[in-house]
Amino acid sequence: MSSYYRRHARIFQAAALFYLVPCSYNTETDQFEQRTVNKLAFAVGIGMTVPFWYFDLKFMIAFYLENISPIMVAVGSIEIAVYVSIVSCTLLNTFGRRHRYTRLMNVLFHDDWLLDRYESAEMEYDNRRPFAGLLFAMLTMMSINMFYHRDMNLRILSMSVALKIFGIGYLCIIHRVCVGAIGVRMRQLSILGKLSCGRHPAQEKVVYYFVERFELYASQLRQIDQCFSMPLTMIVLLVLIEMVYLVFDIYAVLALDRPVFMENLEIDYVQWALRQLWQTIYGAVVLLTVTGCQRTCGELQQTAQLVRRLDDDRNRNSRVATQIHRFLLQNLNRKINFSVCGMFDIDYAMIHMVLSSIFTYLVILVQFDQLQPERLSYLNTNLNTTANGSDPNLKVH
């Protein structure tokens, strides 16, 4: 396997145990293969979703959907439906596309005798630090919640929330590593092309290798989209809903001019801010995914343009010139962007789309909530209960 894979081998080994990837690396065959242990991981994962569904639905409905306005109940029901099904849908998607996943892994992480000599290109695509940062953030937030919540049911719910967020972050790290594998190969191709410029005797062979490798790795964009589109769609939807709640909660605090009550204990602004970090982790996960895709797309564009430098006046009527011109024509219509089910591209424009949607839905929620009778309105209920010193029921994570 390539040195880039060896850098992230432990991440993939653990991901295979959770069935985030459906195959494992076999050192004897030097290939990714679907093994019995992977099938067992899928069976165990699907079996464990049932108790998770039960506890998630039971506790989230009990602690969250009671005593809020009908419009918030509708939005909360959508959130819970996405939240409790994201694990099972991800596992089923991985199982259904297991053969495509295996082919993708064998293309992205196989040895390449021509490009592996340029290992320095891998340094900027090392994702071990982002993974360690995600793990540290989850352990820190879990410890804070275990210390803060005294009720065992709340602790179980917090643990479930933490595991879900960690799973979402883990999947996005796997996606980022796969996307980065294309970026590494493009960077290595760029180094090869720059070193080969002006070497006319060997140029025909270099152009052949350059075009062949570029076509091979650039075609994996669509394969990555096919493998990850379904779980990424659900993640983006969940992130959108969670960030809407975050902004709505901030609006509610501003309307109340103080943090709300929670679990019969008055909390200060610091504790309230810690509670909001659960939602902001979702936003960080999206940012991590977007930046990885954007960087690789930039490498693809720069590498495709580099082929022009391999052409010169001495090759105008040669096979080299014909191959270069054919390559340039093919890249005119090539879409060099990662996407989610073809609905939108994963780039900085997606962040703008998410932010615009968040504030649009916030305005809609506030307007609908104000149209409710005072006894059903979320904000009015909180204002009245705060004035009376009672405990409104709010989201616990």
Side-chain angles (χ1 to χ4, degrees), residues 113-114 189 192 202-215 307 310 319-320 323-324:
W113 63 269
L114 181 64
L189 277 175
L192 173 66
Q203 194 171 36
E204 182 177 347
K205 187 174 293 186
V206 169
V207 170
Y208 170 78
Y209 286 140
F210 188 98
V211 173
E212 179 194 34
R213 297 302 200 281
F214 186 94
E215 294 290 343
V307 76
L310 298 177
R319 288 183 299 177
V320 173
Q323 191 173 16
I324 291 175

Side-chain angles (χ1 to χ4, degrees), residues 69-70 368-378 380-381:
S69 65
F368 271 99
D369 187 78
Q370 292 178 346
L371 291 176
Q372 299 295 325
E374 185 173 339
R375 63 184 180 85
L376 297 177
S377 175
Y378 180 86
N380 288 333
T381 299

Side-chain angles (χ1 to χ4, degrees), residues 231-273:
L232 285 181
T233 301
M234 299 189 69
I235 289 173
V236 171
L237 178 59
L238 182 61
V239 167
L240 181 61
I241 296 174
E242 293 290 347
M243 296 307 292
V244 168
Y245 277 123
L246 172 63
V247 178
F248 186 83
D249 202 7
I250 293 175
Y251 173 82
V253 169
L254 294 176
L256 293 171
D257 196 28
R258 59 177 295 172
V260 295
F261 283 82
M262 182 178 176
E263 302 177 32
N264 297 321
L265 295 172
E266 186 176 354
I267 61 176
D268 57 23
Y269 283 99
V270 174
Q271 293 171 315
W272 176 84

Side-chain angles (χ1 to χ4, degrees), residues 62-73:
F63 292 120
Y64 178 45
L65 291 186
E66 295 180 354
N67 303 322
I68 60 176
S69 65
I71 183 62
M72 295 302 295
V73 169

